[in-house]
Amino acid sequence: MSRRILPAADELNGLLGALLCLRMGSGNRLPGFAEPILIFLGTRAERPVRMGELRERLGLGQSRASRLCAALKRAGLVEITTVAEDRRASWVQLSQAGWALVDECTSALRAKG
């Protein structure tokens, strides 16, 4: 299934708001700062991102990024795999449940507009 890349910066603030509303409305126990990670991964279509790039783009330290992604993995929203050519590095991408959440929030955002 091919994914459409999420809209650029003009809609990302609205998407962040929709994700925050979903968090409050559903009682979802996502870790703090989960929304920017989900949005960033949603802009990457179905391509995985190296953990280092995610950290760099979002201004996170190594430990914090690892903890946040591990929590999102436990929640079933991301998949983390080891980079074959460098076992110290990891790939991160949205899982099917993560895409469903991002798609739901994107649809809610567009319905408001």
Side-chain angles (χ1 to χ4, degrees), residues 1 9 55 65 67 108:
M1 173 165 80
R55 286 193 317 262
R67 284 194 314 268

Side-chain angles (χ1 to χ4, degrees), residues 50 81-87 89 91:
R50 281 189 183 245
T81 55
T82 302
V83 175
E85 55 277 355
D86 181 359
R87 308 237 358 120
W91 292 110

Side-chain angles (χ1 to χ4, degrees), residues 41 44 47-54 69 73 78-94:
L41 294 174
R44 304 298 294 208
R47 296 183 327 240
V49 176
R50 281 189 183 245
M51 183 76 74
E53 180 183 353
L54 185 138
C69 288
K73 182 178 179 179
V78 300
E79 297 169 352
I80 302 172
T81 55
T82 302
V83 175
E85 55 277 355
D86 181 359
R87 308 237 358 120
R88 296 170 297 168
S90 299
W91 292 110
V92 183
Q93 67 183 30
L94 290 174

Side-chain angles (χ1 to χ4, degrees), residues 23-92:
R23 175 197 290 264
M24 293 185 316
S26 69
N28 197 330
R29 299 237 185 247
L30 294 176
F33 210 76
E35 290 84 0
I37 292 173
L38 295 172
I39 291 168
F40 176 72
L41 294 174
T43 65
R44 304 298 294 208
E46 291 188 353
R47 296 183 327 240
V49 176
R50 281 189 183 245
M51 183 76 74
E53 180 183 353
L54 185 138
R55 286 193 317 262
E56 183 179 305
R57 295 284 181 106
L58 298 178
L60 297 171
Q62 181 176 355
S63 178
R64 185 163 187 218
S66 295
R67 284 194 314 268
L68 288 167
C69 288
L72 290 170
K73 182 178 179 179
R74 285 191 302 275
L77 299 175
V78 300
E79 297 169 352
I80 302 172
T81 55
T82 302
V83 175
E85 55 277 355
D86 181 359
R87 308 237 358 120
R88 296 170 297 168
S90 299
W91 292 110
V92 183

Side-chain angles (χ1 to χ4, degrees), residues 1 5 8-10 12 20 22 26 38 42 53 77 81 98-99 101-103 105:
M1 173 165 80
I5 295 176
D10 60 327
L12 289 181
L20 290 170
L22 179 68
S26 69
L38 295 172
E53 180 183 353
L77 299 175
T81 55
W99 275 114
L101 176 63
V102 170
D103 289 345
C105 291

